């Protein structure tokens, strides 16, 4: 291959390289550098942000809100991934059979994906409000005597936003598992039925082993999407009440753009990225071993 052909080959990847450097690599490096500085709105405007080493990281870890954020992230991520997967898996099993109106029903299942998060979050905010639909239904059925503060009580807010996120994530889990199920040869089921395998045995001894790579990929991507959720929580609770429903993403935004403490805000973002990288590495390792 001539030198000219070599240069032409690299020219094709140049746009992607420039885009990655400008919009991914540079912001990441700038974010990392800022996390080691005493960067406030004033110091950034004056251009004299001082290097303070790990002080931002130490300050945010010592903050009582940090412990709450870690606990919230575990509740939100584990709760979302677990129920999104179970519900998505069961719906996929149902749709693996042919029945009238199946394509229309699939479109309905995918509905949460079609609706912008802004709209979904606003609907859930009204749904969980003290005078919202949920409390009105429960009161009319006489299941409760007083409205439950689903998103205005510090002990309930994180669970309410987790429920909202479960609803949003079901279509992704469904379509991943459904696609995997349609790829399993029907002959395997027929042979299993001849051997007397009933429904639950087909799930445990055929479907789950064959779909294991798909399941791990679904959980891996779901974990990445869930840990960095921002808009849903910001719209429903704004991280409140009393910082009770913050995740790393919403806390970082509040610190940077509400408190104008960009140093601690970016340090929080770096911690969130590290958590995602560690989680993805662990799940990837499991996938490779499989």
């Amino acid at each position: 291959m001539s030198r000219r052909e070599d240069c032409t080959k690299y020219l094709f990847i140049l746009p992607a390289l420039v885009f990655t450097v400008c919009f991914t690599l540079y912001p990441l490096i700038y974010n990392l550098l800022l996390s080691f500085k005493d960067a406030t709105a004033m110091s950034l405007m004056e251009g004299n942000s001082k290097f303070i080493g790990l002080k931002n990281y130490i300050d945010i870890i010592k903050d009582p809100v940090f412990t709450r954020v870690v606990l919230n992230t575990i509740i939100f991520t584990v709760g979302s991934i677990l129920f999104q997967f179970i519900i998505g898996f069961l719906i996929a099993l149902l749709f693996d059979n042919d029945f009238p109106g199946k394509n229309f029903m699939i479109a309905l299942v995918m509905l949460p994906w079609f609706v912008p998060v802004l709209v979904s979050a606003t609907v859930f905010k009204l749904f969980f409000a003290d005078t919202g639909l949920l409390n009105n239904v429960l009161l009319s059925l006489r299941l409760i005597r007083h409205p439950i503060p689903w998103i205005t009580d510090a002990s309930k807010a994180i669970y309410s936003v987790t429920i909202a996120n479960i609803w949003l994530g079901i279509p992704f889990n469904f379509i991943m598992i459904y696609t995997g199920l349609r790829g399993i040869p029907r002959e395997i089921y027929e042979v299993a039925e001849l051997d007397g395998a009933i429904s639950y045995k087909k799930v445990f001894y055929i479907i789950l082993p064959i779909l294991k790579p798909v399941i791990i990929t679904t959980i891996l991507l779901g974990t990445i999407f869930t840990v960095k959720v921002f808009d849903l929580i910001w719209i429903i609770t704004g991280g409140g009440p009393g910082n009770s429903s913050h995740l790393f993403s919403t806390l970082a935004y509040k610190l940077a753009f509400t408190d104008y403490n960009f140093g601690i805000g970016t340090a929080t973002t770096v911690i969130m990225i590290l958590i995602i990288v560690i989680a993805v590495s662990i799940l990837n390792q499991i996938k490779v071993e499989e």
Side-chain angles (χ1 to χ4, degrees):
M1 188 178 289
S2 69
R3 188 182 180 85
R4 185 172 180 176
E5 286 175 328
D6 268 346
C7 291
T8 306
K9 182 176 67 177
Y10 289 115
L11 278 177
F12 279 110
I13 64 170
L14 186 61
L17 186 65
V18 171
F19 183 88
T20 303
V21 170
C22 291
F23 297 103
T24 302
L25 198 57
Y26 172 72
L28 273 176
I29 293 173
Y30 184 73
N31 186 86
L32 183 64
L33 293 175
L34 213 57
S35 70
F36 295 113
K37 292 182 178 180
D38 181 20
T40 61
M42 187 61 71
S43 68
L44 284 177
M45 281 193 293
E46 294 175 350
N48 61 356
S49 302
K50 294 178 182 174
F51 180 80
I52 55 174
L54 295 173
K55 186 175 183 305
N56 286 328
Y57 291 92
I58 295 169
D59 287 347
I60 189 62
I61 289 172
K62 283 183 176 177
D63 193 322
V65 176
F66 184 81
T67 307
R68 182 81 192 200
V69 167
V70 172
L71 185 62
N72 283 347
T73 303
I74 293 171
I75 293 171
F76 186 77
T77 305
V78 174
S80 295
I81 296 296
L82 181 65
F83 286 100
Q84 284 172 358
F85 177 76
I86 291 174
I87 297 171
F89 186 82
L90 292 176
I91 297 174
L93 282 180
L94 174 67
F95 280 94
D96 194 33
N97 302 296
D98 293 325
F99 54 85
K102 177 179 168 180
N103 291 332
F104 177 72
M105 295 297 289
I106 289 178
L108 288 182
V109 173
M110 299 301 294
L111 188 63
W113 247 13
F114 303 153
V115 180
V117 176
L118 174 67
V119 176
S120 300
T122 304
V123 170
F124 271 106
K125 187 174 183 177
L126 298 173
F127 180 74
F128 285 123
D130 292 354
T131 56
L133 177 64
L134 181 57
N135 275 326
N136 282 329
V137 170
L138 294 176
L139 285 168
S140 63
L141 294 175
R142 299 182 184 280
L143 294 175
I144 56 174
R145 291 184 177 180
H146 306 286
I148 297 174
W150 298 103
I151 54 175
T152 53
D153 185 311
S155 64
K156 297 181 179 64
I158 187 62
Y159 298 103
S160 300
V161 292
T162 302
I163 291 170
N165 192 57
I166 289 170
W167 184 80
L168 285 176
I170 288 172
F172 168 73
N173 283 260
F174 159 71
I175 203 67
M176 292 288 285
I177 301 299
Y178 177 70
T179 306
L181 281 173
R182 300 305 288 179
I184 299 176
R186 300 289 113 177
E187 292 80 9
I188 296 179
Y189 295 131
E190 291 168 5
V191 172
E193 286 169 4
L194 288 175
D195 288 340
I198 53 179
S199 298
Y200 80 90
K201 284 188 177 178
K202 284 193 280 187
V203 171
F204 285 103
Y205 295 110
I206 296 175
I207 294 173
L208 287 178
I210 292 178
L211 290 189
K212 196 174 281 184
V214 176
I215 292 170
I216 294 173
T217 302
T218 304
I219 293 173
L220 190 147
L221 293 174
T223 303
I224 296 172
F225 297 151
T226 305
V227 172
K228 66 184 184 67
V229 165
F230 168 78
D231 38 11
L232 180 74
I233 294 178
W234 194 253
I235 293 167
I236 296 178
T237 66
N243 296 321
S244 63
S245 61
H246 271 306
L247 298 185
F248 282 102
S249 56
T250 56
L251 180 64
Y253 181 86
K254 176 182 175 292
L255 291 168
F257 298 104
T258 302
D259 301 345
Y260 298 109
N261 195 330
F262 296 99
I264 295 184
T266 50
T268 307
T269 306
V270 171
I271 293 172
M272 181 185 73
I273 292 171
L274 284 175
I275 289 173
I276 293 175
V277 169
I278 292 169
V280 170
S281 300
I282 293 171
L283 289 170
N284 246 338
Q285 185 59 37
I286 295 171
K287 189 177 177 183
V288 169
E289 289 173 1
E290 290 297 333

